[in-house]
Amino acid sequence: MKTKLFLIGLIVAAVCFSSCEPRNDGADGKLTEKDLNNYIAALSHYYPYSINDDFIFLNESSGEKWENKPFVYDGDSVYPEAEIWLCDEPGASCDGDRSASISSYFIENGVSKYEYGPSHIITSINQSGSVDVNINWSVKLSFGAYDYYQGSTMVSCSPREVLAQLTDTIIIPILRQGTASGVIAAPDGAYARIVKNKGITDFSTDGITIWRRVEE
C-alpha cells in the first residue's frame, strides 16, 4: 500500500511540475535568456502591428478621427521593437538583473517628432534584486506638446506565474494628464484597453467618451 501511494505521489508531482510555465532552470531562481525570449513571444500577441499599419481612432460621440502612423526612433523598419537584457557582471550594481520589453510608438499624421513626443504602448518584464518578477504596462497618448495622457499598471509575481498574468484583456488606467500648466491627475475612469491578438482597441481620456480603433 505504501508503495502504491508513493508511486501516485510521484505521478501527481510530475504532472504539476510539467504544467508550470515557463520553467526556470536557473539554480538561483533568476530568469534565463530562454525565459526572456519566451516572454517576448507571449507579449508579441499584444502587439500585432507592422510598420505599414495605421492607428486610427474614432470618437464615438463626436465622430472625430485621430489618425496616427507607426514611429521608430532608429529609422529602420523593425516594428514593434523588442529587446532582452541580462546583466551577469559580478560586482556590478546591475548583476543579476534581467529584462524583456516590447514597445510600439505612433505619432499623429502630419506631426514631426520635433513638435512633441509620440504616443506609445510599452510592456516590460523585469527581475531585479529578488526572485519576484515585475510586469509593467504603460501607455502615453499624445495629442499635442501640452496635451497628453499617461497611464500604467504593474503586477509582481513569481517567474512561474508570469504567463498566467498575460490575460486576454489588459486595462491600463490613465492616471496623469499633461496640460500647458503642468501635469495633473487624469479624470476618473480614463483608461486604455489592450486585447490579445488585436492590440489597443479603445481608450477614454475622460472616463466617459470612448475612442475606438478602426481599420480603413
Side-chain angles (χ1 to χ4, degrees):
M1 185 65 178
K2 289 183 179 180
T3 300
K4 183 177 181 180
L5 290 174
F6 177 73
L7 290 174
I8 291 174
L10 286 178
I11 294 172
V12 171
V15 170
C16 290
F17 182 79
S18 62
S19 65
C20 293
E21 291 292 344
R23 179 181 174 186
N24 181 274
D25 295 319
D28 56 358
K30 289 295 182 183
L31 297 178
T32 65
E33 185 172 357
K34 181 179 179 180
D35 291 328
L36 298 177
N37 280 310
N38 286 341
Y39 293 157
I40 290 294
L43 290 176
S44 67
H45 291 284
Y46 299 88
Y47 292 79
Y49 311 127
S50 77
I51 194 66
N52 298 315
D53 286 341
D54 291 316
F55 289 84
I56 302 174
F57 299 89
L58 180 67
N59 186 309
E60 290 189 339
S61 298
S62 67
E64 178 186 1
K65 285 184 180 180
W66 185 45
E67 302 185 35
N68 298 262
K69 59 186 177 183
F71 176 87
V72 289
Y73 277 103
D74 57 10
D76 63 23
S77 59
V78 177
Y79 192 86
E81 297 180 80
E83 180 181 13
I84 64 171
W85 177 74
L86 302 89
C87 179
D88 288 317
E89 301 177 21
S93 60
C94 66
D95 186 25
D97 291 356
R98 278 95 171 84
S99 175
S101 64
I102 187 167
S103 59
S104 173
Y105 291 82
F106 50 99
I107 193 165
E108 192 170 0
N109 290 354
V111 172
S112 165
K113 65 179 180 180
Y114 301 107
E115 294 181 54
Y116 56 84
S119 301
H120 70 239
I121 307 165
I122 301 173
T123 311
S124 63
I125 299 178
N126 310 296
Q127 186 183 54
S128 177
S130 70
V131 175
D132 284 346
V133 177
N134 293 326
I135 307 172
N136 300 275
W137 296 81
S138 67
V139 63
K140 180 179 180 182
L141 303 170
S142 294
F143 295 89
Y146 302 104
D147 182 13
Y148 60 88
Y149 298 83
Q150 290 181 308
S152 62
T153 186
M154 185 188 80
V155 63
S156 296
C157 63
S158 72
R160 297 185 185 278
E161 298 171 324
V162 169
L163 295 186
Q165 306 301 320
L166 303 181
T167 54
D168 288 343
T169 300
I170 305 294
I171 302 294
I172 306 175
I174 292 176
L175 308 173
R176 298 172 298 279
Q177 177 181 352
T179 71
S181 301
V183 179
I184 62 175
D188 291 340
Y191 74 90
R193 188 192 316 271
I194 314 295
V195 176
K196 192 173 184 180
N197 297 319
K198 293 184 178 180
I200 183 170
T201 58
D202 57 279
F203 65 84
S204 176
T205 58
D206 60 9
I208 301 173
T209 306
I210 297 176
W211 295 78
R212 294 195 185 278
R213 189 180 178 202
V214 296
E215 295 184 11
E216 295 186 341

